Amino acid sequence: MQRSIDLGAASVVVRSPLREFNAQLDLLYRDHSQAGDSGFADVRVALLPGPPWRVWGPQVRLWSEASCPFDPYPLDSALPLFEWGTNWLLAQRLNAHVLLHAGVVAREDRALILPAAPGSGKSTLTCALHLAGWRFLSDEFGVLDTESGLLHPLLKPAALKNRSIDIIGGQPGAVLGPVFAGTRKGDVAHFAPDRASVAARRRPVTPALVVFPRYREGAALRCEPVRRAEAAMRLGLNSFNYRKLGPVGFDAILRLARTAPAWEIEYGALADALPCIEQLFGKAS
């Protein structure tokens, strides 16, 4: 089966004969994919089974541009390979924009940006905010327009890991795909954004607030402002292509740091973090 997936800021065409994998795509991309090939795509991939005589059991490979850029995965882990593989390919190709490693949610077309390193709780916090009524734009890529300064949605499922799966999966309205146990990043399940967010994937938003989150088990809530110079540095460090874009990326990051106030929060419970963020966002209005 072949389908086109319109993510907003980018498009993906994926082809695969694997029934289980296609059923998982039907669940997670139910609102923004269509059968067939719509023409231009930023990324084209095929998820194909490997040779049946492999010593380590049935495997799946991701093909793109007539090459396999990644090691094969177990056949029943085609979805994690697709998600991580397309993220990597998008990060290599979308150089018309600054790509922040950040979750992005919005209220009334005003964006909250959550830049963070892996392990900071970014994905869990992004999904929790979405379930609390925020519009979902991205969990992995903050797509910053270098000319307008706006942020474009890139609607892909959020990859939740380990304890985050139960924390988010147990909340009303959460739609998660299957749990893939024992991957290279631990247990993983994918969270699907809601229909309204997908429908708005062509509508950019204005940056209003930057919050650098850091989850630490058992920590009391701590919330501190971040100076503009430090915010600009940290935004650049949490970017996939900041150095590659040179002065264009520098100017875009500097403008973002000047226009959107930045804060750092450390927290041990979502029940503490969410009201704090709501308060900061209200002050940034």
Side-chain angles (χ1 to χ4, degrees):
M1 180 178 180
Q2 180 165 285
R3 73 182 71 206
S4 299
I5 303 177
D6 179 1
L7 304 173
S11 59
V12 174
V13 171
V14 55
R15 175 172 59 88
S16 180
L18 302 175
R19 291 185 180 180
E20 185 175 9
F21 170 64
N22 281 302
Q24 292 160 358
L25 291 183
D26 287 339
L27 172 65
L28 296 174
Y29 291 94
R30 62 196 185 282
D31 296 320
H32 52 356
S33 68
Q34 61 184 25
D37 185 341
S38 61
F40 172 80
D42 296 278
V43 169
R44 290 178 177 271
V45 297
L47 277 292
L48 304 176
W53 57 84
R54 297 290 298 184
V55 174
W56 302 109
Q59 295 183 323
V60 60
R61 290 179 176 272
L62 184 147
W63 290 82
S64 181
E65 309 295 340
S67 67
C68 287
F70 315 106
D71 293 335
Y73 275 42
L75 187 62
D76 60 1
S77 295
L79 181 64
L81 176 58
F82 169 73
E83 289 296 323
W84 293 331
T86 53
N87 281 349
W88 185 86
L89 291 166
L90 287 167
Q92 306 304 306
R93 298 179 183 182
L94 297 184
N95 291 313
H97 308 289
V98 175
L99 299 179
L100 301 171
H101 183 234
V104 183
V105 294
R107 282 251 172 94
E108 298 179 353
D109 292 338
R110 298 176 63 251
L112 163 65
I113 307 168
L114 300 165
S120 301
K122 167 183 63 66
S123 297
T124 309
L125 185 56
T126 300
C127 294
L129 286 163
H130 178 45
L131 292 171
W134 295 68
R135 175 184 160 200
F136 187 104
L137 279 82
S138 180
D139 163 64
E140 185 73 9
F141 297 104
V143 183
L144 179 63
D145 192 305
T146 59
E147 295 184 0
S148 69
L150 299 177
L151 285 157
H152 296 277
L154 189 63
L155 267 288
K156 291 183 91 274
L160 298 172
K161 305 174 188 70
N162 304 316
R163 291 178 56 191
S164 296
I165 297 171
D166 291 334
I167 292 171
I168 296 300
Q171 296 194 33
V175 176
L176 269 65
V179 176
F180 297 90
T183 74
R184 300 170 192 184
K185 298 187 178 182
D187 296 348
V188 174
H190 297 87
F191 170 92
D194 69 10
R195 181 169 296 175
S197 295
V198 176
R201 65 190 180 276
R202 294 290 184 182
R203 197 170 79 227
V205 294
T206 301
L209 179 68
V210 176
V211 172
F212 297 95
R214 182 166 63 183
Y215 170 79
R216 185 167 62 86
E217 187 173 358
L221 180 67
R222 180 179 60 82
C223 179
E224 297 178 354
V226 178
R227 293 179 301 173
R228 288 178 179 175
E230 182 182 351
M233 179 187 69
R234 293 173 68 173
L235 286 164
L237 290 173
N238 285 288
S239 169
F240 293 98
N241 61 349
Y242 172 70
R243 291 185 178 181
K244 185 180 293 184
L245 293 180
V248 173
F250 176 82
D251 289 343
I253 290 290
L254 193 60
R255 176 166 56 174
L256 174 59
R258 285 173 172 168
T259 57
W263 292 76
E264 178 181 71
I265 65 168
E266 182 178 75
Y267 62 98
L270 288 172
D272 295 330
L274 297 184
C276 175
I277 289 173
E278 292 277 5
Q279 186 177 20
L280 292 175
F281 196 78
K283 289 180 179 179
S285 300

